[in-house]
Amino acid sequence: MKLSSQAQAFVLHFGEMGSRWGFNRTVGQMFALLTIHNKPVNADQLAEALKISRGNVSMGLKELQAWRLIELHHQPGDRKDYFTASGSIWDLARTVFEERRKRELDPTLTLLRQLLLTEPRDEQETEAQKKIQEVYSLLEMLDQFANTLSKLEHKDLAKLMKLGSGLNKLLDLKAGAKAKKPGK
Amino acid sequence: MKLSSQAQAFVLHFGEMGSRWGFNRTVGQMFALLTIHNKPVNADQLAEALKISRGNVSMGLKELQAWRLIELHHQPGDRKDYFTASGSIWDLARTVFEERRKRELDPTLTLLRQLLLTEPRDEQETEAQKKIQEVYSLLEMLDQFANTLSKLEHKDLAKLMKLGSGLNKLLDLKAGAKAKKPGK
DNA sequence: CTTAATTTTCAGAAATTTCTGAAAATTGTA
DNA sequence: TACAATTTTCAGAAATTTCTGAAAATTAAG
């Protein structure tokens, strides 16, 4: 497994960014490598290419499988497990996106919902509740938004991309549609 | 600074989630506390309420100021610095969102742009370039999307929220508009 | 069943991040 | 200016996360 300097840069970068995206450096590197490399790769090759221990590769593959980001293949006459990134780039992004939504938004929404159920006992708590309600509304909207986004098919995505700055124009459109209606 | 059990739960939770949202536990707690508490709070009060060292509070406040999430106030006849969360909940969310976009997307876009400039030297590299291009297109779209979102005013947000599952309906609307005229 | 190839596990090592607290620096007041 | 209140800094301690590598477990072939 010789990596071109391009691939090398790509892999190292996704290692560094990995932590921001929800996995650690080596998992990020493994994922990046499987993504740019179009041939299936086995664990020993990963360990060698990334200069990390075999055990670490095993753990990383397990994690990537839990995220459903990679899939297992076999080469005829070879007992080793081979892996590739699963699905299109958009599929992968969507999976990561969805997973992050689950981890970053859902637990908070659950807690805030609980907090909103209890009656405020004094002025101070009433004020706090108001804030909690605001945070809740906002996060719920983000959650629905993310949820919808992650359900989009590839063709819907293409639609969005064609619109250029997307949301901007969509909002304009909405404003236009609203303006046509009488009243208010 | 006595925290109600509600406030307590809120603060502790945002501490735990903090790392997922880009800051560490104590910074998350400090931010949460300043967010639910409507009176200005000073550093000693934070240290006491969160049971952390005065030095840690100082560092955390510095970080929150760098993010522009809090602002400084003064009480007449008191030399201490007092802090509040700055702006509305939506302002805060937008700031966090924007900051994360900068940290998570921009550096990657910059690298990928560079990688796309160099000519592929063989079949292998040509394939890699294709993948890089795909990743680039996707992330660029996400970036524009996030950028637009973070520029939305509060009233635009309200507009979006009224639409319920937002994007879903917007996309329907768009499809309708393209086909002919919206009937809804 | 036995054996060899392969993968997984996990205790402890290494690396990284966060936190403390005392000392240094800064600030406001007299 | 001198001084006390307050904030900041930062070296090292503590906590947490990641990684290694050898041993255990699993798997497939003969």
Side-chain angles (χ1 to χ4, degrees), chain B residues 24-26 51-53 55-56 59 79:
Chain B
N24 69 36
R25 178 161 57 246
T26 45
K51 308 231 190 350
I52 60 180
S53 74
N56 198 0
M59 291 188 297
R79 268 170 71 176

Side-chain angles (χ1 to χ4, degrees), chain B residues 53-111:
Chain B
S53 74
R54 186 60 186 68
N56 198 0
V57 169
S58 181
M59 291 188 297
L61 288 171
K62 204 176 137 201
E63 183 170 351
L64 288 172
Q65 281 179 301
W67 281 64
R68 313 242 230 89
L69 289 171
I70 59 176
E71 49 192 46
L72 178 61
H73 303 269
H74 282 104
Q75 314 270 306
D78 188 343
R79 268 170 71 176
K80 288 195 172 73
D81 292 344
Y82 284 75
F83 297 89
T84 58
S86 58
S88 69
I89 298 289
W90 170 241
D91 288 331
L92 295 176
R94 188 162 48 177
T95 303
V96 172
F97 206 64
E98 170 64 9
E99 190 73 21
R100 291 182 75 189
R101 186 181 70 80
K102 273 195 210 132
R103 296 180 182 202
E104 297 179 4
L105 252 29
D106 287 358
T108 303
L109 287 174
T110 301
L111 174 78

